[in-house]
Structures are given as structure tokens and as C-alpha cells.
Amino acid sequence: MEQHSKAEVLIQALPYIQKYYGRVVVVKYGGNAMIDEALKQAVMKDIVLLSLVGVKVVLVHGGGPEITEMLHRLGKESKFIGGLRYTDEETARVAQMVLAGRVNKDLVALLARCGGKAVGLCGMDGGILQAKKLPSEPDLGFVGEICGVDVSLIRHALDGGYIPALSTVGCDGDGQVYNINADTAASAVAAKRGAENLILMTDIKGLLRDKNDESTLIPMVAPSEVPRLKAEGIISGGMGPKVDCCVEAVRQGVKKAVIIDGRVPHSILVEMLSDEGVGTLFADPAGGAL
Amino acid sequence: MEQHSKAEVLIQALPYIQKYYGRVVVVKYGGNAMIDEALKQAVMKDIVLLSLVGVKVVLVHGGGPEITEMLHRLGKESKFIGGLRYTDEETARVAQMVLAGRVNKDLVALLARCGGKAVGLCGMDGGILQAKKLPSEPDLGFVGEICGVDVSLIRHALDGGYIPALSTVGCDGDGQVYNINADTAASAVAAKRGAENLILMTDIKGLLRDKNDESTLIPMVAPSEVPRLKAEGIISGGMGPKVDCCVEAVRQGVKKAVIIDGRVPHSILVEMLSDEGVGTLFADPAGGAL
Amino acid sequence: MEQHSKAEVLIQALPYIQKYYGRVVVVKYGGNAMIDEALKQAVMKDIVLLSLVGVKVVLVHGGGPEITEMLHRLGKESKFIGGLRYTDEETARVAQMVLAGRVNKDLVALLARCGGKAVGLCGMDGGILQAKKLPSEPDLGFVGEICGVDVSLIRHALDGGYIPALSTVGCDGDGQVYNINADTAASAVAAKRGAENLILMTDIKGLLRDKNDESTLIPMVAPSEVPRLKAEGIISGGMGPKVDCCVEAVRQGVKKAVIIDGRVPHSILVEMLSDEGVGTLFADPAGGAL
Amino acid sequence: MEQHSKAEVLIQALPYIQKYYGRVVVVKYGGNAMIDEALKQAVMKDIVLLSLVGVKVVLVHGGGPEITEMLHRLGKESKFIGGLRYTDEETARVAQMVLAGRVNKDLVALLARCGGKAVGLCGMDGGILQAKKLPSEPDLGFVGEICGVDVSLIRHALDGGYIPALSTVGCDGDGQVYNINADTAASAVAAKRGAENLILMTDIKGLLRDKNDESTLIPMVAPSEVPRLKAEGIISGGMGPKVDCCVEAVRQGVKKAVIIDGRVPHSILVEMLSDEGVGTLFADPAGGAL
Amino acid sequence: MEQHSKAEVLIQALPYIQKYYGRVVVVKYGGNAMIDEALKQAVMKDIVLLSLVGVKVVLVHGGGPEITEMLHRLGKESKFIGGLRYTDEETARVAQMVLAGRVNKDLVALLARCGGKAVGLCGMDGGILQAKKLPSEPDLGFVGEICGVDVSLIRHALDGGYIPALSTVGCDGDGQVYNINADTAASAVAAKRGAENLILMTDIKGLLRDKNDESTLIPMVAPSEVPRLKAEGIISGGMGPKVDCCVEAVRQGVKKAVIIDGRVPHSILVEMLSDEGVGTLFADPAGGAL
Amino acid sequence: MEQHSKAEVLIQALPYIQKYYGRVVVVKYGGNAMIDEALKQAVMKDIVLLSLVGVKVVLVHGGGPEITEMLHRLGKESKFIGGLRYTDEETARVAQMVLAGRVNKDLVALLARCGGKAVGLCGMDGGILQAKKLPSEPDLGFVGEICGVDVSLIRHALDGGYIPALSTVGCDGDGQVYNINADTAASAVAAKRGAENLILMTDIKGLLRDKNDESTLIPMVAPSEVPRLKAEGIISGGMGPKVDCCVEAVRQGVKKAVIIDGRVPHSILVEMLSDEGVGTLFADPAGGAL
């Protein structure tokens, strides 16, 4: 492309940059975008760019496949109950090690290579995530429920110009470690930190009316519509908890919560810096979201 | 263009944005870019975009044609001596009025319409430009020479997040107003404010080895080469003072001074946010400019 | 006068200086005080002195005679309807140029010569005055009504130790320029900025019970008395809008609004730094103004 | 006097106020001005006024007569050797009590009644004055020599908008209290705090060529002239140490040191806010003092 | 004691230090602890240590015995009415001098010798204590009642890292000096400054059920129990006003008010840095005090 | 022990606390103190206490045994060459995961349980440690040499009141991870951050003249003595590199570098808060270290 057309593209992004200037955006990073090297790079560049144009980005991530692989290498097979990992003491310890030591710090290094200034945190740093045992039947072990969020350290990092990358392991007052769902953690941090935007990256185009037909994407959902969509079975399976995270964030004041397709490069930038919304947006219709 | 290609363009600008983040850039705005409405809009959008991505832009402008036209309407013909306007008392007063009251404030309003937060200043505000009579033979009247620069107000405006637009009329201790060359003023402000970059917009592609052949553009000149280029007649006519402004700025610590073609839309963005330099760059080869 | 008596005078000013320390005072400058050179100097010195003793002075000005004269020189006669200037497109453009480029910057230069640090602003800088067409019958053209006031830039200038001088031209979202009544603008800025005091300079001693007898000055008026004074015809003609500006300012929290006689040198200082009030004071009797 | 003449007086003070704005001035208060109630009030008002117009005033005082009187009431007669008080343990204790508890706090209360915000300190607060025994023959007891000055607390008080009043008792590392000459202490504080001006109040018109003839006042002395003036006997007696304090302050960077006549009301204001210098000024002729 | 046991002791203090970190604690210093040299040193060291571990300590003191002694030396016998000193004009003046000049500054010097950075204030400095005549029958003279507290100067001193030592003499708007009860002043300052803790040092173990039996110490009292304890005669005599000060402080938001035994070395540290409460604690049972 | 003796102990620590107030101390944590649970707790409590009394502690750690164990569990035996771990790609990845994800975050959680506010960092966060391959013969794989230290993030964390815990894995510009010796990293961070004190915890009493006799401890060594002690074989084996780290830190301005015995509980506190130095101190004799 010729340079002047490129300049035009930058100019077109202007109103969107203005809209997000100085605002907090929490990105839950996951799925294919964490595995495919090209997608990974694209996401990190998106985040560094947003950070440079004045957006305060918080990167929240999980890392299920990496945990599974490490457990496997340690001779321990992963066990899932209703889609959730059964987490015994050793699994919790491995999850902490893999998420906070490998996945998280690799992201920090990658952000640095893209020119970003990042700091890798987990829920135990600065007491960001206080956890307790998630009550469940049957028992899931040390799967954590968030019982307290302290965003001081995240605020401090953002104020210092750092991009905080957060792995979602947390502990309780006795130091017991819990593995916490990353979507839930991202939603809780976004709400507590007064974020403008919560972005959940998934491996699907968004909420589809017909799961097998991407052309049936529902571009926007008001929280009040969710119960009906659940009743109709349109929100079902793994999409249920993700939608709940979005709705909860919006209820607590986050302006927009979006489920976007992480398989498409730069979907974060497209979502934020154009009016071509991608995926499914959850927002209070009266709240004035675009 | 498709959204994902657009995102790619944004991403390509990343390293350049990082390079200029928090730096001061002084843009001397003039020529066709001040007359053609589309070019005018493009320049203002470039400046607002740069301001949003963290560049501290100072916009310096003249307005010869507007002064000539107003003088004409007031029944007074402009008189030029060696390319410089003979400036009697009335002309100086009209220049102040037209530059500080019309051209300057129109730019402020245009920047606002592009989403920028601007403040229109002239050399008398906060004592930015202290002037005295430029000694000349024959006498040019109240054409001013800069004898003092105080950038406190410009710094204050930038620190408050405002884009300062500066019209280059100044006065002396007795309140006598002088019309000051805008290229010279831009160079002096860039040097005093410790700018990273001085950009002079002109109506030519840059310094040409053969004036009639744009393919003979000289992309980069070291200050030490200037005397030879003058001796060879390659730097001549109106280009001489512009080159001197660039060299002086570089001598006083400005990293890069560039003469760019204001007739091309977004030439500022192209110059700053790509490695396809436009126009002619003046820089100390040892200074490490790109 | 002997030095020790002079010192006594300074000492007598002490309690008044203490009263206004750190407070905002908006002065609408106009009338003879803008024409007579000695009065002009006296006003500027008053303002610089107040600024030095810790008062945050905002200078608001119009400039009708200068506009009329420039229009005349441009071959266009001024047209007034009910005392208000009919403002076609060209008149609005000339008003902007004369007010923001000549009158305003001349005041800045004069304040500097008196030792003040001033910055010349108009309603378009930093979006201070958002204007729209004043509805009127017959049509007055581009005479503006204030539909928004943003005092951020004025606050920023004051915090930086600068005296902001404001010419009251503003524009709407499309960049259309409007000429705005300076009394109204001063009142609006005083109210929005939480001023202690609004001072309107006029060419009359104040509100007179009998227009032809200065000994019938009414020294103080409570806002509640205004309707009766209007009914009695004591407030009439050009005094009406000025009184309305004062009342509106007081209603919005300004402690004192005063109409003073600009023909008397240093009337601002006398008003503020002595208990010999000059002119007519508008204040809420319960509000505790002196 | 009529109000407008009074305003003129204020205006005449303008350039002097500008000159001292934000500068530190150390006033050594003493002599008749500490005894006569009207003079006392006049001095305190001068100081509050200076403080309001932006001068950072430090008030340093002694209190010989009050010490003598208290000693007398306690049945102990004062003993002087060569003009200096012989200070035994009890005398030092009484001096501390009278200076820091009575004279100092009375001044603080008086400044408050004049509208000033003052804080009463002695040399022991914040370690302002570190003292040791002044070597002398014959022995003077606990008369102190300054061996260290820490102006942090004075700076802190000034930055908080307080007028620090300092009584010049100090102690050594063992807590032994010393009575310190107030002229010397004022000079040392002025030098350490980078004062613009040191003012020593006395009961004489200044340095007189003929002690008996006030018309022989020497208005200005360069430090280099002092040895000759001493040799000629013009500087002699109690004037000697005062002149030495002035010279030492000037040598250490204080711009002006002045010995003024405290018997004349408002002599501080006259000295500072007019060009009618009073008393005798010590300044480096090359240093550019007025 | 061996070093490692000593380290253990420091470690045991950890949770208490954490609890008081950054909090304000007002200590009313008095009784034997002001007379016995060893106790005095111990108290000052306690205060310096607390200050270093991040507690913001305000030291409030009286000095009855010193006043009595000085009056006696001046040939004036002290007169007490119902335990309160009859304070004529001269007594008030002597009290000011002794408290603010001797007792206060001696404490400042002692704190400095213990490594603390202190500043000695009285109620007149910065207008900390505004006083008026305490109405009483029979008349007590210039015994003051607090009618206004301004803690700005205390806050300023604490923010600068200084330990403010406050002697409780104050004055009214006419400069009349009053002697103020130090317990009352400490309580008022603690309430106004939002202190965590008020500590009143006395010469008794605390509130005793049987005055003659220290084993009957009442370790904690809820404000609501006070009337009953007074009715039973358990709170009587000099203990009454002290209890009232504690109750008033707690009512105004101070978390804990404690009457402790100043005869025991380091009782302040023991009270604050262990869970072995000493003396009698007044706290709202619902307020969550330890 | 009785409470008042305990208070005495706190008081004895006073001068040491004053000495380190606001200073940076870098503690290299390792050896038995990382394995024994009681010692671990004691160290963390020491650090939290120091942090509360105003010392800015940076905790640097390695974790060799944990790496070895994890490698073993992954079916990979550790290989050492001359005492240094041969680090292939997989080993480097495991080291990163174990150090940054397990050891580091466990310490953060433990500090939190002791009441500290900690943040767990590795050399990649904020670009703290830039590494390159350590040249060695035979090749050691990805053992890193420090080629750049950026302490901005550590400074930011300390300024925010956080205790930074640093695991010493770093990467180069290509993202290649290296395992870095923790003693070396602690020394480099101490030098770059301008630390007052570097403390290296080991499993030996200090530098012994006779390795088998603890009574031959050398309490203090000047850097200039080191070559001789090496020549005499007193510094040999693993002690060599540790001594070099100490000497290098002192050469770069660290006041004291100490090798202490981590097997003794609270050895950090004893070293810092008493004059009973423990272990061997390296300091410039002219540098004034205690």
C-alpha cells in the first residue's frame, strides 16, 4: 500500500483513539490466539499500540493447554468434571508454576520485543485476587472463587506506564493456592478498576443464533435479553459463563463487554479502532455505548 | 480497504510512534497547505493524531497571502524588497491583526473540529518572542529579528495537553510590534524547547539538485555540506534561508530538521510515521538520526 | 506625598488584600477606559497589582469601536438594530480579527509592559465559549448566545501564574464564528469559574435613581429589588442587560457583582482595596458581602 | 487622603513588589521597635503585607531588655562584659524561656492579629541553629557561636505559607543551651537560605560619618570599603558587629544587607517598596542591587 | 539478652507496627514522667521510635510544677480553687513563658538528642488553639476553654516528618493569653486530627475499682458505662475530667483512648506494641478496637 | 520475657533503624534459609519488619534445588560443570518456570502472610535484567551474563510501598531466556539502585581463616585485601564468586556488602539492627561503614 493511503488509515482511527484515550480496557487473552505464533504476535502488537495511543490495557490470561501438557509430562493426567479441571493440591501448584512462571513471563518478554513495557503479575502479587474454594458438587478441589479484588497494584503499574499482564492464580489467607477462571477474573478486575471496556477473546465469531452458521451472529445484546436467549438455548454450553462475565461487568459499570473472535488477526484493534464492531457486544442500551 | 489491512497499517506505525513518544516536534505550517481546504484539514488531522499518540506538537505559522489581501482591501498595496515585505507601522499592525486574530484562531477552531485541544498564541503572549528591528539595507521597517525566546508558556500549554498554535508577531520592550519570519521563529522555538524534530512545510519536493527535475531530490544533507551546496548554486533563492533555519536548529541540538512538501496530503505523518523519509532531511550524521 | 504616609496607605489595603487572596475576580473591561490611554494604563496596572497580591484576575473585553472603525475602513458601514450590531458573515470575521488579533494582543502587550505575565485568549481557544445563534426578531445575523462554557484553559492559565485576557468571539461545532456580548460572557465565566467578584466597567457612575444626577447613585441593590427598579424605570436602556448580567452571576454563586465607573482612574483598586465601594454593588444581602 | 491618590500609591509600589516576589527576606527585629507598642504593630503589619504580596519573610529577634527584666525579677542582676551579657547556666535558661516562650510567642500572636499566619521557632526546633561556646577572653559563659545552620524547617514553614519567627537560642549536641546574638543568627540564616535581602533594624539612622549629625548618613557601602571605614573610626562601637554581619551576608550571596532605622514607622516597607532607600545599604557594587 | 532473642522481640512487635502505620497518635505527657530524668528519656525514645516506624505522634504537654516553681521564684504563690489554678494576668503570662519557652523547647531538644526531628509549638502558633474564658464559679481568671481548633500547622509539621510538641497555652482574638488544660487540649486535637489513639499519661495504674488496690484495675470501659461508674464513685476526683476527655475523644471518632501509668518506663510502647494493654482503655465496643 | 524488657530491646534498635531509614538494602536469599520452613518464615518477617521501619528492601533469590527437583521429575538429570549447571534450552525454560512461577510467587504469598505488600518480578519484567550468553569453556549453554540492568520497575515498586522479590532469569533481545547467578544479579541491582547494603545469605558463618574452625571468622575485609586472601587460599571454592560480588558492589558505591549465615534465625535483623556484626563485612575502610 502506498504511504499516503496508509496515513489515511491512521487518520480514520483518530476518533476511536480519542474515545479511548486514558481509559482502562481489560483484555482476556485466550484460545487459538495464545497458541498460533502469528496471532500471538498480532495480539501483543495490538496491545502495545493501544498502550502507546493512551489506552490503559490490562492483559488477563489463563493457560489450560500448557497446564495439561506440563501435568502430562509430570505423569499426571488431567481430569475434567463438567468442563472444569479437577484441581488437587499438586495440580494447583503446577498451574501456578506454569501460568505465573511460563505463560505470563513469556507474554511479558513478547510485549517487550514489540516495544511494550510490561510487568507480569499473578493474583497473589499485591493481593490482587483473594480466593476461596469454589463450592461445587462434585468437589473440584482447589478451583477458586474470587472473594476479594485489590486493584492497587494494577493501578500503580498502569500509572507507571507499565502494561500489567495478570495470570489468574490466587490464594487465601493461609496461602493455599487456587486456580481461578480467567474470564471471571478479567470481569472482576474490569469492574473493580472502572474499565471502559472488557474484551473476551474466544475461538468463535461471537454469539450465534445458529451455532453452525456464522452469518447468524448477534452483534449486540442487552443484559436484559440474556435470560430469554438462555431459555431459547442460543446461549448454552461454554458460552454461558462467558456471557455471564460480560453481563456482570456491565452491571457493575463497565461500558462495553465484547466477546470477539481471537482467530482473526488484530481483532482487538478492529473492535476498538473502527466502527465495524466485531463479535457480540454486551452493553446497556441506555448507557450510550457505540 | 478491509479492516484487517487497516489494522496492519496501524501496527506498522508502532515503532515510529514509540520513537516520538513524549518528544516535542515543531511544525512550520505554510504555503499551499494553508490555502487548499483539503490539505488544511489533512494537516490539522495529522497534528491531532500526533498529539494523541503522545507527540508534543507546536504549530508555527505565518500568513503572507492573508496579510497582502487585507492590506489590499484597506487600500494599501504590499511592497516587497528582495522578497521581504516592507513593513511600515500600519502594515505591522495589520499583520498582527490578521495573523493573531484571523489565521491563528481559525487554525485553533479547525484543530478543535478535528478533536484537538488547541490554544492560539502569538509572540507577545507570555513574552514568547522578544523582537527588535532587523538591521537591513535598504530599510525594511518593522521586520523583526528575534532577540529573546521564552518557551515557558509553550511548555505550560503542552504540559496541560494543549496544542499551541503560534503566530509569529512579537514586540519589543516599548510595545512596538514586529512581523517575524515564521521559519526563523519555528527554528528558534524548536532549539529553545529542545525539540526532537523541526518540520518546515514548503511547496516544493525538497532540495533538488536540478530545480526542474523532482527526481534529483537530495534526501539528506549534513550541515557541513551546506557551504559547498551553496557555492554550487544548488541551495539558492528562497531555499537559502530555509536551509539556514534547519542548520541552525540542528546546531542547537534539534535531532532532525526536515523540509517537506506541503502539497502532498499527510506528508507530516508520512515523514514521521514511516521510514520513507519525504523531502530533505538535515541532521548531524553522527547524531544518530534515522 | 511623604514615604511614610505612602506606607500607611499600603498598610490600609492589608485587610482587603487578605480578603481577596487566592480568589478569582472577573473584570469586564470596556468603555472610555479602553480608549483613553492614561485610563488604559491605569487599568492594566491595577490588574497587574491585583495579580501580584494574589488575586486571580480574568480580563474580559469587547471592542465595538475598533470593529466599527475597521469595518468602515473596509468600506462597510456598521448597522445597529436596537443597540445591537447586525452581524453578517463578513462582520463576524472582522470582529474576530479585530478583537482576538488587535485589541486582545495589544492588552497582553500592555500588561507585559506593566510587569504582568498575560496570555491572550478568545472563546475558541480550549473551547472556552461554545456559541450558537442568538434567536432574535428582527434577525441579528451571527450574534452569538453562549451555550457552553469550559473554563479549563482559564484555570490552567491562572494556575500557571498567567493573567488570561479573553476576547468574546466564539464558534459553534461547525466552526461558524459568533460575536458575543462581553458583559454576558464575563458573567458566564465568573459563574462557571466560581469567581468571588464580577466587575463591569462602564462610563457611568453606577445605577442612578435620576439619570441626570450622579448624587442619586444607588450603592447597593439586592437581586430581589431588580424587578421593582425596572418597573419604576430606574433600570432602563443599556443598563438593563448589565444589571441582568450582575444578577445572573450572583444567582449562580458569585459573591459580589459591581458596576463601576471606568472613567475614574484606578476605580478597580478603589472598589477592591478600600471600604469605599464605588458604583453599584449587586449582592445577596444574606450572602455576607461587605 | 482621597481614595484615588491612595490607589496611586499602591500602583507606585508595583515594581518593587515585582522585584521581591517569591524572594526570601530576613528581618532582624530589635531595638525601640520591639518596645514601643505603635512601632511594634507597624512592623508586624509591614511583615504581614510583605508576606501577602508574595515575599517570604523570616523574622529573627532577640530580646535583651526582657531577659534583663526577668533576671532582675528573679533577683539576679545582669552582668555585661564589653557589651556582651555574661551568661551563666541560669541566665541561659532564663534567656531561652523569655525569648522562646514570651517574646517569640507574643510576636506570633501579634502577627495573627494583623492577619498573618505565623509559627514561633527557636534555634533548637528542627536543629535550626547548632551552637557551641563562643571562645572569649574573659569568659562569657554560655554565649553561643553558630557552628551549623539547618534551614529545612524554615523552608518548610515558608512553603506552607507560614511566617517563621525565630528566637536565637540554640543548643549543642549535649543539649546545653546557648544565647546567640540575633544579628549574627539573622545573617547566617539569610546566607544559608539564599535570601535576597537582610534587614537589620536598629535605633540609629544608619551608618553616620559623624555620629552626632544624621545628615552625614552614608547611604551605601561596598564591602571593600569597610576596612577603611573601620580604620577611620567611622565604623566603631556597636556598629562594628552589625556591619560585619551585613558584609558576611553579602559575601555569602545575599544581594542586599541594610541597616535601617527602626524608630521610624514602616521603615521596612519604605526600604523595600520605594526607591527612597533608608539607612545604609551594604551590597556588592557589581552585584546589580538597586 | 542474646541478639537472636532480641530479634524475636522486634518480630513480635511487627503486627502492632503494621496496625499503627501512618496513623496519628496523640500523647498527653505529664506527671512523674515529666519529672524523673530516666522516665523522661524513656518517653522521648518511645516517641522517636514510634515516629520512625511510621506512627505520626503528636506530643501534648502541660507543666504545672514548673509554673508553680517559677511563680514562687517570682514571689507569687500559686492559688488553687477546686484543684484548678487561679490564673491572673501575670500567672497567664508566666505560664506561657514557662510552658512554651522552657518545658516545650526542652522537650524538643531532648527529642533531638534521641534522634527525633521535632518542632515546638504552642496553641498560638498557626492558630492551633483558639481560647476563651472558661466560665466558672468562683472565677478562675484566665483559665481557657477551647473554642476552636485548627490542626493545619500540626498536619503540616507531621507531613514534613516533624514531631510536633504542643504546649497548651492559647489566646483569643484580642491576644489575651489563656492557660488551657492539657488533657482537654490533647483530646480536642486528637478528635480534630482524626487520631487513631489518644494516650493520657498519669501517675496511677489506670481506673481502679478500689483506689487502694492496683489489682482492681478496670482494663476496659465502654463510654456507655461511664455514668454508672461515676454514680458508684469509682470514677471520682481528678480521674473524672480525664475520663471525660477520653470519652469525648472516642465520641468524636478516635478509635482508642487510654489512661496509662507514666511511672512505668516505656509504658507507651508496651501499650501500643504488645497486646498486653496497660492502664484503662476507653473504646466503643462496636468500634472494633483491639 | 517481660514487656518492659521487650520495650528496651525495641529502644536499643533505634539508632540502627535511624541509620537505615529510607535506604535501599538488597538481600540475596538462598541456601538453607530457603529450605527450612522456620528459617524461611523468620527471613520473611525480618524483611517485612525492615520494610515497615522504612528500609527499602529488595529480595533477590535463586532456587537451584527446586530446579533440580523439577528437572528430575520431568525425567531430565541435572548436569553440572565446575559447579555451574549446564543449561540447555529445556533447562532454561524449566528454570524460568520454577523460579518465576513457583519460588518467587511462593515468597510473595509468604511475605503477604507476614503482613508485607510484595510484588514478584523476574529479570524480564520491565527489562530489569538484560542477559547474554556467558562465554565459557566448556560451553554451559544458556547460562546468562548480565549486560544491562534497568532498575526503573524496582524503583517504581519500592516507591509504591511494595517489596520487590526478584527471580534472576532474564532474556536477550530475541527473547532467549537465560538463567543468571543470583549473587551476581543481587550485586548488580544493588550497585545500579545505589543500595546502602548488600546482604548475601549463605550456609556458612562467613569467611573463615580455617574452614573447619568457626572461631576463625574474619569479621571485616577491605577490598584491597582480597587478592592476598585469595593467594593464601583463604578465599577459595564457592566463596570466591561471592566475595567477588561483594567487592564489585562496594567498588560501585554500595556502602556495605556482607556475607551472613542464613542458618541462624533473624541473622538479617541482627546484622542490621545491632552493632554485633554477623558474618564477614566487605567495606571500604575509608568509606565510614560502621
Side-chain angles (χ1 to χ4, degrees), chain D residues 70 73-74 90 93 96-97 101-102 105-106 113 118-122 124-126 153 156 160 162 173-175, chain E residues 70 73-74 90 93 96-97 101-102 105-106 108 113 118-122 125-126 153 156 160 162 173-175:
Chain D
M70 183 55 63
R73 290 195 51 202
L74 291 167
E90 188 188 12
R93 297 285 290 147
Q96 170 193 327
M97 183 177 75
R102 173 164 293 182
K105 299 300 183 184
D106 283 356
R113 287 227 302 288
V119 57
L121 306 173
C122 75
M124 298 184 283
D125 291 295
L153 180 53
H156 185 65
Y162 294 93
D174 298 328
Chain E
M70 182 55 63
R73 290 197 49 202
L74 291 166
E90 186 188 13
R93 297 284 290 148
Q96 171 193 326
M97 184 176 73
R102 174 164 292 179
K105 300 299 182 182
D106 284 356
V108 164
R113 286 227 303 290
V119 57
L121 305 172
C122 76
D125 291 295
L153 180 54
H156 185 65
Y162 294 93
D174 298 326

Side-chain angles (χ1 to χ4, degrees), chain D residues 131-177:
Chain D
K132 62 177 184 187
K133 198 172 180 329
L134 177 77
S136 65
E137 185 60 46
D139 181 52
L140 286 167
F142 297 107
V143 170
E145 181 178 65
I146 295 171
C147 57
V149 178
D150 182 339
V151 292
S152 315
L153 180 53
I154 287 176
R155 183 187 306 270
H156 185 65
L158 289 170
D159 288 350
Y162 294 93
I163 302 168
L166 178 69
S167 63
T168 59
V169 286
C171 67
D172 61 19
D174 298 328
Q176 171 61 49
V177 176

